């Protein structure tokens, strides 16, 4: 029996340190992780790849994580999105 493919996650985070830590932690848990630093780049990667979920920052340089949720759900309402932020 063939091994199941690891779930694919897209991390959209503009802080390289946070992105690296989240990617490392999720990779250790067996996920395949790709990263993007902007909403524009994240949408491009989503269009080119088959992701199982998105993890995004709330504050990004070119839009907000809420903008991203709206744009992603216009195309795929079923794609899970997890939002994170360091802002209170």
């Amino acid at each position: 029996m063939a091994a199941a493919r690891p779930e694919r996650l897209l991390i959209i985070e503009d802080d390289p340190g946070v992105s690296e830590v989240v990617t490392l932690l999720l990779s250790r848990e067996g996920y395949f992780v790709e990263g993007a630093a902007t909403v524009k780049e994240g949408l491009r990667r989503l269009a080119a790849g088959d992701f199982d979920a998105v993890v995004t920052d709330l504050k990004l340089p070119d839009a907000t994580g809420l903008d991203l949720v709206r744009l992603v759900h216009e195309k795929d309402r079923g794609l899970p999105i997890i939002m994170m932020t360091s802002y209170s």
Side-chain angles (χ1 to χ4, degrees):
M1 185 161 136
R5 85 166 170 86
E7 291 183 315
R8 294 173 48 90
L9 304 178
L10 177 62
I11 308 300
I12 305 175
E13 169 59 64
D14 60 319
D15 182 314
V18 172
S19 182
E20 183 178 345
V21 168
V22 171
T23 297
L24 179 64
L25 291 171
L26 292 171
S27 295
R28 284 184 180 172
E29 293 298 319
Y31 296 98
F32 174 83
V33 181
E34 279 191 44
T38 64
V39 168
K40 183 178 179 179
E41 182 184 358
L43 292 172
R44 184 180 55 75
R45 287 183 185 263
L46 278 171
D50 180 25
F51 292 95
D52 298 299
V54 175
V55 178
T56 184
D57 191 5
L58 176 61
K59 299 209 179 217
L60 294 160
D62 60 340
T64 70
L66 295 174
D67 296 325
L68 176 74
V69 169
R70 182 182 47 80
L71 293 168
V72 168
H73 282 173
E74 285 176 2
K75 296 181 192 237
D76 184 354
R77 271 197 102 51
L79 185 64
I81 301 174
I82 299 167
M83 193 168 306
M84 60 184 180
T85 186
S86 61
Y87 293 92
S88 57

